[in-house]
Amino acid sequence: MTPDNPSTTFTALANPTRRAILARLSSGETSVTELAKPFHLSLPAISKHLKVPQRAGLIAQGRQAQWRPCRLEPGPLKDVADWLEHYRRFYEESFDRLDEYLGAIQKAEQQHDHDE
Amino acid sequence: MTPDNPSTTFTALANPTRRAILARLSSGETSVTELAKPFHLSLPAISKHLKVPQRAGLIAQGRQAQWRPCRLEPGPLKDVADWLEHYRRFYEESFDRLDEYLGAIQKAEQQHDHDE
């Protein structure tokens, strides 16, 4: 664990290729070679990308001799979810208000159609 | 909106001072001068920090002539929550398993105490 693990996690997530790698690993563990294919990246390039989420503890690699599959480690994502929890009331409130507003518009339009 | 808004948001969150600024704004809007105080930062330093979450749309600033308060904008945090949703089954499953495991240990210990 680094002293500022949340920053390491957010840095790891701040890149579309790294988020795509996590999405790929969410369907199951896979080798680095397989991971590299859809991204049209060389092995050194994908390894460089992998280092950031590995350092954040988001990706771990098996230790079998022949095949060292990468797998998603959910701990840091749970930390992000816990961090977000504090802000939930903000985005849920504001989207609830948007829902209410859209509901009111729809109702007004239906009333208008009915009156015509 | 930038083409890769999630990366901009994650970059804005990847710094402890910027997360502390968001936490401060979660208790209400405030001026840049007030924001700077607990961080012992100069106004130019805090303004530089603010630029990153402002670019990500996490912080907006009022347009009153005398007082331009900063406020938290929850939209990008909602986007992060939506992104995380895909991974929820991973961290909830693994923590459910940990709960089960700890529950089993506790039960075994109670049984052990009872048997003694």
Side-chain angles (χ1 to χ4, degrees):
Chain A
M1 284 271 183
T2 57
D4 182 22
N5 214 45
S7 296
T8 317
T9 303
F10 285 125
T11 300
L13 300 176
N15 175 283
T17 303
R18 294 198 291 264
R19 290 196 303 280
I21 289 173
L22 289 185
R24 168 62 192 84
L25 292 178
S26 74
S27 351
E29 55 177 30
T30 190
S31 69
V32 177
T33 317
E34 278 304 311
L35 260 186
K37 280 181 187 169
F39 301 108
H40 305 289
L41 289 171
S42 67
L43 278 183
I46 197 97
S47 298
K48 210 172 158 188
H49 260 302
L50 281 171
K51 266 194 193 122
V52 191
Q54 280 175 334
R55 208 157 36 217
L58 282 161
I59 294 177
Q61 223 174 337
R63 296 235 165 259
Q64 286 108 316
Q66 294 299 316
W67 193 61
R68 299 190 55 209
C70 294
R71 66 167 186 276
L72 184 70
E73 288 285 322
L77 295 175
K78 169 91 172 91
D79 295 340
V80 172
D82 291 344
W83 179 85
L84 263 181
E85 201 51 44
H86 174 74
Y87 299 92
R88 178 186 289 274
R89 63 193 162 104
F90 290 97
Y91 55 77
E92 287 200 339
E93 262 174 32
S94 61
F95 284 88
D96 281 354
R97 277 203 296 267
L98 184 65
D99 269 352
E100 270 171 36
Y101 175 70
L102 294 175
I105 287 180
Q106 207 168 23
K107 212 172 161 185
E109 279 177 352
Q110 280 164 354
Q111 187 62 42
H112 180 77
D113 290 347
H114 183 80
D115 291 347
E116 271 180 342
Chain B
M1 282 271 182
T2 57
D4 182 22
N5 214 46
S7 295
T8 317
T9 303
F10 285 125
T11 300
L13 299 176
N15 176 282
T17 303
R18 293 198 293 263
R19 290 196 302 279
I21 289 172
L22 289 185
R24 168 62 193 83
L25 292 178
S26 75
S27 350
E29 56 177 29
T30 190
S31 69
V32 176
T33 317
E34 278 303 312
L35 259 186
K37 280 182 186 168
F39 301 109
H40 307 289
L41 288 171
S42 68
L43 278 183
I46 197 96
S47 297
K48 210 173 158 188
H49 260 302
L50 281 171
K51 265 192 194 123
V52 191
Q54 280 174 335
R55 208 157 35 217
L58 282 161
I59 294 177
Q61 223 174 336
R63 296 233 167 261
Q64 285 109 315
Q66 294 299 316
W67 193 60
R68 300 189 54 209
C70 294
R71 67 168 186 276
L72 185 68
E73 288 286 323
L77 295 176
K78 169 92 172 91
D79 294 340
V80 172
D82 290 344
W83 179 84
L84 263 181
E85 201 50 45
H86 174 74
Y87 298 92
R88 178 186 289 272
R89 63 194 163 104
F90 290 97
Y91 55 77
E92 286 200 338
E93 261 175 31
S94 62
F95 285 87
D96 282 353
R97 277 203 295 268
L98 185 65
D99 269 353
E100 271 171 35
Y101 176 70
L102 294 175
I105 287 180
Q106 207 169 24
K107 213 171 159 187
E109 278 176 352
Q110 279 164 354
Q111 188 60 42
H112 181 77
D113 291 347
H114 183 81
D115 292 346
E116 272 180 342

